[in-house]
Amino acid sequence: VEESMGGSFPYKDIWTPAGGFYPDPKGWRRNTAFTALGIAVVAFGVFRTSAALEERPLAPVRWIPSMMWGKAFEKPAQEE
């Protein structure tokens, strides 16, 4: 009966991409933090490059989020 329900597995160490039978790698918190930091740095670089290269030949009809950082939408100096 024990054999049909799985029984014991004769191999202790098996490598699989998903982590195998013991998916708790050493240092996973540090590795996750490094990965998140790397993703954030790349995303910030892409955002800065995209904002610097943005051009709008026609003014938008309504407010859009890129008006907050786009150079094309700088507010004119108000004369008093």
Side-chain angles (χ1 to χ4, degrees):
V1 174
E2 188 175 320
E3 288 294 324
S4 65
M5 294 172 47
S8 63
F9 194 75
Y11 306 108
K12 179 175 170 117
D13 296 322
I14 294 179
W15 181 88
T16 65
F21 295 102
Y22 310 104
D24 191 18
K26 184 178 179 181
W28 70 268
R29 287 181 181 93
R30 178 183 53 98
N31 295 341
T32 302
F34 284 154
T35 302
L37 180 64
I39 290 171
V41 167
V42 169
F44 181 72
V46 168
F47 172 79
R48 292 285 305 251
T49 303
S50 175
L53 297 176
E54 181 179 12
E55 294 180 5
R56 294 200 176 262
L58 299 175
V61 177
R62 57 184 169 78
W63 183 85
I64 57 173
S66 67
M67 292 174 116
M68 292 187 293
W69 57 78
K71 293 178 182 175
F73 305 113
E74 292 181 4
K75 294 180 182 177
Q78 294 180 356
E79 296 181 18
E80 292 184 28

